[in-house]
Amino acid sequence: MAIGSIRKRTDSKGNVTYQITLELDRDPITGVRHRRYHTVHGSKREAQEMLKKLLLNPDANLNAVQSSIRLRDWMRTWLDEYLPHIAQTTRDGYEEKIRNHISPVLGGTPINQLDTTQIQRFINSRIDRGMAPKSIRALYNNLNASLNKAVQLKILGHNPCTGVVLPKLKRYQSEVYDAEQIQHLLEIAKQDSISAYAICILGALLGLRRGEMTALRWEQVDFVNKKVTICENRVQSSKGVIEKAPKSESGIRTITIGKKALDALRYIKDFYDDACRNNPWFHGAGYVLFKDDGQPYRPDCITQLWGRFIQRTDLPYIRLHDLRHTNATLLIANDVSARVVQHRLGHADVSTTLQRYVHVQPAMDEAAADKIDSAIFD
């Protein structure tokens, strides 16, 4: 005969759930007692009702009971039980989408009552609110993945996301600087502030991501062998700023530093060392990109710093991340192999490098015209 119990659980954020444990008959051969677990993201009364249903027919497929679970509760179960080890930043993104978008509209609907039309209306409502197509697709992907898991577990016979029409993606057209503009940028930045100068060097000459810039330490700069090792990424999460490995294995890389970039890094290091020696309030934490007190920047702070700095210049505005696009474009324009550019940027796939990061500039197009002339007529 089955017996059951309910245990209240509270996570680090104060969210309360109830875990139901069903104690079933022992295996006649091994003597091991079989157990079934089910999590209720609701009130204690709802957990008690769920336990009653399970005790009435413990041998029946548990999925028949689970299929009536509300969507918000199912998505929480999906996150907690089937994606327990995803990165904190990824979890934060999923939770934000569920909390702010999916749950207010669809959360109270039992998953076995969801239909394609209902989900299509939800998607259409996000379009009407002006949400970017990329963000809408991210919402859909979370919802679709959670319901796919319900189908795999035979809780649902069909995923109601099937057939939903999504808005077409509009790829952002990055702007990049040419070589002359980069030279001018570096001259202005060096006069402006050590932080602005470091951002320009790390972004335009080394092609680092924002999180890689803020995580880079002096110990990872090899002045003797002219190398920089990128092995950490500084990101923001619900638990504060954390440092972790880059998002892919290819993101961990060692790249060679050119002479001008090396001289620039030595200039920044001299400034850092001088501050450590002479300013008692400067507590150097070992970061290449540092605040006035020697501590590292949060990633969002350098985006703001870049925005304020570039507005003080006579250069056209580009995003901070577009310095990385500029780096890739200039390398390709100067006949560097796409594979080498891929390695330096830390891309997992060379198609990402070529399709998203390399932009055709007028000088590149003119050079192509000269080369076809030379190939045919010379």
Side-chain angles (χ1 to χ4, degrees):
M1 178 180 176
I3 58 174
S5 62
I6 298 174
R7 182 163 68 97
K8 182 179 178 180
R9 303 169 70 182
T10 306
D11 65 17
S12 59
K13 296 181 181 178
N15 298 316
V16 174
T17 59
Y18 294 89
Q19 185 185 64
I20 296 174
T21 303
L22 279 184
E23 301 280 356
L24 305 176
D25 294 337
R26 293 183 183 275
D27 187 292
I29 298 175
T30 65
V32 175
R33 183 180 290 279
H34 295 297
R35 290 184 177 89
R36 286 182 184 171
Y37 299 95
H38 181 69
T39 301
V40 174
H41 298 271
S43 66
K44 184 176 181 180
R45 176 172 292 182
E46 289 174 311
Q48 290 169 337
E49 289 298 317
M50 179 68 74
L51 177 58
K52 286 179 184 178
K53 292 179 182 178
L54 295 172
L55 289 175
L56 284 173
N57 195 359
D59 295 325
N61 193 333
L62 183 62
N63 299 335
V65 177
Q66 288 182 306
S67 67
S68 62
I69 187 174
R70 291 175 299 181
L71 178 64
R72 69 169 66 94
D73 297 334
W74 168 248
M75 294 196 77
R76 171 57 58 187
T77 298
W78 168 67
L79 266 181
D80 290 348
E81 298 185 11
Y82 298 101
L83 298 174
H85 304 302
I86 56 176
Q88 185 61 47
T89 49
T90 303
R91 177 173 292 276
D92 290 345
Y94 287 3
E95 289 181 342
E96 186 276 330
K97 294 176 184 67
I98 294 168
R99 180 177 62 253
N100 294 335
H101 297 281
I102 297 173
S103 282
V105 180
L106 301 173
T109 306
I111 60 174
N112 61 0
Q113 293 181 23
L114 283 170
D115 60 42
T116 303
T117 300
Q118 192 176 4
I119 295 173
Q120 184 68 64
R121 286 173 179 161
F122 166 67
I123 295 297
N124 293 346
S125 72
R126 303 303 100 177
I127 298 173
D128 293 341
R129 290 188 175 196
M131 182 178 281
K134 184 177 179 180
S135 299
I136 293 174
R137 283 176 176 260
L139 288 178
Y140 171 85
N141 289 340
N142 285 175
L143 180 59
N144 184 51
S146 71
L147 294 177
N148 267 340
K149 176 56 69 175
V151 172
Q152 290 171 7
L153 297 172
K154 299 188 179 355
I155 296 170
L156 290 179
H158 170 73
N159 185 345
C161 286
T162 302
V164 169
V165 178
L166 299 173
K168 291 183 178 179
L169 288 175
K170 297 177 181 177
R171 182 169 294 171
Y172 177 81
Q173 294 298 317
S174 299
E175 300 293 333
V176 296
Y177 290 148
D178 60 26
E180 277 188 34
Q181 289 172 314
I182 288 296
Q183 289 181 28
H184 184 47
L185 174 73
L186 294 176
E187 291 169 2
I188 297 171
K190 192 172 184 178
Q191 298 301 316
D192 185 274
S193 69
I194 199 69
S195 293
Y197 189 52
I199 288 172
C200 293
I201 295 299
L202 298 177
L205 300 191
L206 272 65
L208 301 193
R209 301 175 175 94
R210 181 179 76 168
E212 294 169 345
M213 292 184 196
T214 53
L216 188 67
R217 299 172 184 263
W218 289 117
E219 64 194 46
Q220 292 153 0
V221 180
D222 183 346
F223 286 101
V224 174
N225 296 305
K226 303 178 183 179
K227 304 284 185 182
V228 168
T229 298
I230 299 102
C231 56
E232 291 182 300
N233 190 32
R234 193 168 165 83
V235 297
Q236 291 163 226
S237 75
S238 61
K239 296 184 178 180
V241 176
I242 58 176
E243 289 187 10
K244 61 176 189 174
K247 59 184 180 180
S248 67
E249 289 184 11
S250 54
I252 301 173
R253 61 205 188 274
T254 297
I255 61 175
T256 302
I257 319 169
K259 183 181 183 305
K260 296 294 185 182
L262 194 68
D263 290 344
L265 287 174
R266 282 200 182 99
Y267 174 84
I268 298 167
K269 183 65 163 61
D270 289 343
F271 185 100
Y272 175 88
D273 290 340
D274 183 68
C276 286
R277 285 191 301 267
N278 301 315
N279 298 328
W281 43 264
F282 188 88
H283 302 289
Y287 290 87
V288 175
L289 183 56
F290 50 88
K291 296 191 289 188
D292 290 342
D293 62 358
Q295 297 302 306
Y297 279 100
R298 291 201 325 264
D300 64 325
C301 285
I302 68 163
T303 299
Q304 296 166 14
L305 191 156
W306 167 259
R308 293 192 295 269
F309 160 68
I310 204 64
Q311 287 177 354
R312 296 194 294 270
T313 74
D314 56 352
L315 288 162
Y317 174 82
I318 65 172
R319 303 175 308 166
L320 172 62
H321 194 70
D322 289 341
L323 289 178
R324 186 166 152 85
H325 286 251
T326 296
N327 177 271
T329 300
L330 290 176
L331 288 173
I332 292 292
N334 285 276
D335 299 323
V336 176
S337 160
R339 287 288 185 186
V340 173
V341 179
Q342 174 196 357
H343 164 70
R344 292 182 65 86
L345 294 185
H347 286 152
D349 192 329
V350 71
S351 64
T352 300
T353 307
L354 292 172
Q355 293 176 13
R356 299 185 186 179
Y357 280 79
V358 177
H359 306 270
V360 177
Q361 295 183 300
M364 296 166 71
D365 187 48
E366 291 165 9
D370 291 339
K371 286 183 178 180
I372 193 66
D373 269 4
S374 298
I376 296 173
F377 299 108
D378 291 352

